[in-house]
Amino acid sequence: MNRTTYYILILILAFFLPIKKGMAQKTDTIYHVNKNILTGDFKNMAYGIVTWKMEGMGTISLEEIMVNTIISKKQFEIKMKDDKIYFGSFEASEEKRSVYIVTPEKKILVKIYDIVEIYPIKNSFWTKISGNFSLGFNYSKGSDIGNLALSGDLSYRRKKVYLELAWDGNNTYQKDTLGSRKTDVSLAWQRLLKKGWSSQLSVSVSQNSELGIKERWGIDVLGLKDISYNDWNRFYAGAGLNLTHEIPYGDVPEQDDVAGVMQLVWRVYKYKAPKIWVDADVSFLPYFTDSGRYRAVFNLNPKINLLNDNFKVGLKFYYTYDSKPPADAVSKNDYGINFQLTYSLH
């Protein structure tokens, strides 16, 4: 087991250690626009979709346009289209497609379509966790080359705080020999501020044999701003600083660097069949300590649902570029595409 794989396992285990089991009380009520009344457990709402758990039916997805009003005594974090954030429960409104948000200070009447995110503020560590697990594999008999891809993320939410552990590994094998290796693991802490702003601190470790990187340790400090956030997409930008410690392959000396970070992230969701999820991000890092050096990273991950919303099938494409990689690097760029099966947790 190489060092990077070992660190991945340690981070995943550490993420799960504090887990405590909790039982959700199914006391929430949704009044449907067609006059039906649904009683169950309100899981969350994002991208115009309410995730709802009902006794006997399991977890279902309900379009936000079908919701007339909501009743729940549980506490929620509620984000609005105008970037306001409320913490409170829900009380039914007699006005069509409206609901009261009840906070300790006041009761606010809002339109359902003005809400972009609803997440419960839960007591159990386990119920605050959601995530995705993806597996991809390609093989060609003619070349006897196989590629195994493992990726995923686990996120943890609490009031105004979002924590995410993400990993992405691509290993290429030829005749039982490991030909190339690309691994990325990151742990990011994000805190909501005001007017669509967030701050983010992340630590990461990566490896890329194609670019000559045996290990790259990094710390990023970013400011994030939502540009667009509604019932079908979220588009946001970030900028900040990156500190790295780089260990190349071979006899090339280790080095420490400071770089800028500029980032764009776009997440799209289409509920109408076929249901489609698209995650895309691009990052650009100009170096301050290594004149003329810069790096660029692009990821694209479209998926469609398979059987239900918890199982998806899709593609994962990545492209990385380094203008001045270590001397022993095979190339200045690395890219790949994998077919993937994904399971979503919570």
Side-chain angles (χ1 to χ4, degrees):
M1 180 184 295
N2 61 70
R3 286 179 61 183
T4 305
T5 304
Y6 173 77
Y7 293 133
I8 294 174
L9 293 175
I10 291 297
L11 283 171
I12 293 174
L13 287 173
F15 198 91
F16 276 111
L17 280 178
I19 290 175
K20 296 179 181 178
K21 295 184 178 179
M23 298 298 292
Q25 294 182 343
K26 298 175 177 60
T27 57
D28 308 324
T29 304
I30 285 181
Y31 287 81
H32 201 280
V33 292
N34 65 8
K35 309 299 184 184
N36 287 340
I37 299 175
L38 308 177
T39 302
D41 181 21
F42 196 115
K43 307 297 287 185
N44 62 65
M45 188 184 91
Y47 300 104
I49 301 300
V50 174
T51 302
W52 183 260
K53 189 170 184 179
M54 296 180 67
E55 200 69 45
M57 293 184 63
T59 301
I60 63 173
S61 295
L62 180 69
E63 290 182 87
E64 166 264 308
I65 59 173
M66 297 290 119
V67 178
N68 195 48
T69 193
I70 307 167
I71 297 176
S72 178
K73 295 186 181 298
K74 295 189 302 191
Q75 293 295 302
F76 295 91
E77 179 182 309
I78 306 148
K79 185 168 184 176
M80 311 297 295
K81 280 184 179 178
D82 61 4
D83 292 326
K84 289 181 180 177
I85 299 173
Y86 297 106
F87 298 94
S89 57
F90 290 117
E91 189 175 297
S93 166
E94 293 184 359
E95 188 175 327
K96 186 177 179 181
R97 298 267 292 138
S98 299
V99 67
Y100 284 104
I101 298 174
V102 182
T103 71
E105 297 82 21
K106 56 185 176 179
K107 187 163 72 172
I108 310 106
L109 180 65
V110 300
K111 293 293 186 181
I112 299 290
Y113 53 74
D114 284 333
I115 303 174
V116 295
E117 246 186 31
I118 302 173
Y119 282 95
I121 301 172
K122 300 174 181 177
N123 294 322
S124 167
F125 183 89
W126 172 247
T127 55
K128 295 177 184 177
I129 292 214
S130 60
N132 297 281
F133 302 87
S134 299
L135 172 65
F137 182 76
N138 297 312
Y139 176 73
S140 169
K141 180 181 178 182
S143 61
D144 198 21
I145 296 177
N147 180 268
L148 178 65
L150 293 169
S151 63
D153 61 85
L154 288 171
S155 60
Y156 169 80
R157 301 183 70 97
R158 54 179 299 180
K159 195 173 181 178
K160 289 191 176 183
V161 172
Y162 179 78
L163 185 68
E164 182 181 59
L165 171 66
W167 62 94
D168 185 12
N170 286 268
N171 292 323
T172 301
Y173 303 87
Q174 185 171 19
K175 296 181 180 179
D176 300 323
T177 301
L178 184 60
S180 65
R181 180 186 295 118
K182 175 186 176 295
T183 305
D184 299 281
V185 185
S186 65
L187 181 62
W189 178 87
Q190 192 177 117
R191 182 172 180 82
L192 292 174
L193 303 174
K194 296 181 178 180
K195 298 182 178 181
W197 285 92
S198 302
S199 60
Q200 178 174 297
L201 172 67
S202 64
V203 294
S204 63
V205 58
S206 61
Q207 180 181 44
N208 192 315
S209 59
E210 189 77 3
L211 298 180
I213 303 300
K214 186 176 181 180
E215 289 181 29
R216 178 187 284 131
W217 295 84
I219 298 175
D220 292 340
V221 180
L222 296 169
L224 306 177
K225 178 68 170 73
D226 282 326
I227 299 171
S228 173
Y229 199 175
N230 52 39
D231 58 3
W232 67 273
N233 91 118
R234 183 185 182 192
F235 179 56
Y236 64 92
L241 288 175
N242 166 265
L243 308 176
T244 59
H245 178 71
E246 200 169 86
I247 306 174
Y249 283 100
D251 298 326
V252 182
E254 301 179 16
Q255 68 180 63
D256 296 306
D257 286 295
V258 179
V261 183
M262 289 171 280
Q263 183 183 72
L264 291 174
V265 180
W266 194 30
R267 294 175 179 171
V268 180
Y269 177 74
K270 174 182 169 290
Y271 182 76
K272 298 294 185 182
K275 298 178 184 178
I276 298 172
W277 293 258
V278 180
D279 291 338
D281 64 81
V282 59
S283 300
F284 179 70
L285 294 87
Y287 278 58
F288 300 138
T289 53
D290 191 348
S291 179
R293 186 181 182 184
Y294 62 89
R295 291 192 288 122
V297 180
F298 174 69
N299 294 289
L300 178 65
N301 186 201
K303 301 183 288 287
I304 62 173
N305 69 305
L306 183 69
L307 302 177
N308 58 50
D309 291 349
N310 290 331
F311 290 93
K312 306 177 184 73
V313 60
L315 298 173
K316 176 67 179 289
F317 172 79
Y318 69 88
Y319 177 86
T320 62
Y321 178 83
D322 190 337
S323 64
K324 293 173 64 177
D328 288 347
V330 177
S331 172
K332 287 186 176 183
N333 61 62
D334 183 30
Y335 56 87
I337 186 168
N338 286 289
F339 172 82
Q340 288 190 335
L341 294 174
T342 301
Y343 170 74
S344 297
L345 171 71
H346 293 173

